[in-house]
Every structure is written in C-alpha cells, then in structure tokens.
C-alpha cells in the first residue's frame, strides 16, 4: 500500500490541482493532499475551510485523504510514511524551483520528490491568480473542480 503526499497551499484548490491528483492516483494507491500552514501568508480562505472544501470533492474517492499540517513538508511526509512527495510543475520557473527543493528534501530526509507536468490547458491556473480574481469579485467557478 504505497501512499504519496501532495502538499500545497491550495488557496483555492483548482482544476490544475485536481488533474495532478488524478495523475498521482495512476501511480500510487493513496494520495494524501496536505494543506500547509504558513503564518506569514494569510490566505483567501482559512486552512480549515480549504480542507473541508477539498474533502467534499473527494468524499466518494477512498484513495484520497485530505489533511492539514504545520512545519516542514518532509517531516509530515515521514510521519505519514509516504513513499514520496508529488509536486505539479506549470512553468520553467516552477521546474527550476522544484528541482532545487526536491534536492534539498532528499538531502534532509532521503525522501524523493516526483514532479508531474501540469496539463497545458490547465497550466495557466495558479492559485494566486484565481485568488486575486476572487478577491476582486470575479466569478471563479469555471476554474474550480
Ligand atoms: P505552493 O504554494 O506549495 O506552490 P500551490 O497550492 O500553489 O502551493 O500548489 C500546490 C502544488 O500544485 C504545487 O506543486 C504547484 O506547482 C502545483 N500546481 C499549481 N497550479 C497548478 C496547475 N494549474 N496545474 C498543475 N499543478 C499545479
């Protein structure tokens, strides 16, 4: 039973994120979506609201679990007994950052990071852009699963 950790702020959880979860389910038995706390960043929705919204989406999918966590992602991955960490890659800039992060994570704990490509038609959906649209009163329902 191999589980994988998919961490992020998910503020909000978009169609692009759901697409990565789908890819990850093709590779692993269980995907744990992990909503990270970041004290410096106050989000659009609270972490509790984000967890609730994502749980609702996957209520009929027993292979997906949704949790929140504080602290280092690698520590949470170890605690869960995750086989690896999944990250979605949208852009070349994402790729550079994620490769460095993956290297640090491996050096810290030996845990491997798997980078999955964002589907081209969904790659422009970043949480921060969707959050900004919502902040200014735009209807964002078309971007959400
Ligand atoms: P973080 O602040 O950790 O990057 P996000 O919630 O923005 O948190 O993203 C969580 C994960 O989802 C990251 O691996 C990010 O690269 C990936 N991601 C973000 N937007 C998309 C998208 N449109 N398609 C696929 N993956 C995405």
């Amino acid at each position: 039973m191999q589980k994988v950790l998919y961490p992020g702020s998910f503020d909000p959880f978009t169609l692009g994120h759901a697409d990565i979860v789908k890819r990850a389910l093709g590779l692993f038995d269980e995907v744990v979506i992990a909503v990270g706390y970041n004290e410096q960043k106050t989000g659009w929705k609270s972490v509790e609201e984000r967890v609730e919204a994502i749980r609702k989406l996957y209520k009929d999918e027993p292979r997906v679990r949704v949790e929140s966590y504080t602290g280092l992602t690698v520590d949470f991955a170890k605690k869960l007994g995750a086989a690896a960490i999944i990250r979605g890659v949208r852009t070349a800039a994402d790729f550079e950052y994620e490769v460095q992060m993956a290297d640090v994570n491996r050096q810290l704990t030996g845990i491997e990071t798997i980078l999955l490509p964002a589907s081209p038609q969904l790659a422009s959906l970043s949480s921060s852009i969707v959050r900004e649209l919502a902040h200014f009163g735009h209807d964002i329902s078309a971007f959400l699963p």
Side-chain angles (χ1 to χ4, degrees):
M1 179 55 186
Q2 282 225 310
K3 74 178 94 155
V4 73
L5 190 73
Y6 180 40
S9 55
F10 304 118
D11 187 30
F13 188 85
T14 64
L15 285 170
H17 295 125
D19 190 48
I20 296 293
V21 170
K22 200 169 159 191
R23 287 180 193 265
L25 283 172
L27 297 168
F28 291 90
D29 302 311
E30 186 181 1
V31 176
V32 181
I33 300 172
V35 183
Y37 274 95
N38 183 342
E39 273 114 44
Q40 277 97 52
K41 277 197 254 167
T42 47
W44 172 50
K45 292 261 169 77
S46 73
V47 169
E48 292 74 22
E49 286 172 306
R50 280 177 242 165
V51 167
E52 265 325 294
I54 306 168
R55 277 194 184 142
K56 212 181 255 177
L57 280 175
Y58 290 104
K59 65 176 181 356
D60 298 324
E61 177 45 90
R63 295 166 63 213
V64 174
R65 229 171 91 190
V66 189
E67 305 287 349
S68 60
Y69 71 103
T70 51
L72 278 180
T73 303
V74 280
D75 291 338
F76 188 57
K78 276 240 143 145
K79 196 176 136 196
L80 276 178
I85 293 171
I86 292 277
R87 295 286 289 174
V89 177
R90 296 187 306 120
T91 64
D94 268 6
F95 182 75
E96 267 186 44
Y97 172 83
E98 295 295 346
V99 167
Q100 289 174 21
M101 200 66 215
D103 211 39
V104 169
N105 284 344
R106 182 169 52 183
Q107 284 176 36
L108 282 176
T109 57
I111 197 154
E112 199 50 83
T113 303
I114 299 171
L115 303 183
L116 295 175
S119 295
Q121 74 276 20
L122 300 173
S124 62
L125 286 177
S126 90
S127 288
S128 50
I129 294 169
V130 176
R131 188 167 61 239
E132 186 160 344
L133 290 172
H135 179 78
F136 290 108
H138 196 279
D139 176 13
I140 59 163
S141 53
F143 306 126
L144 307 181

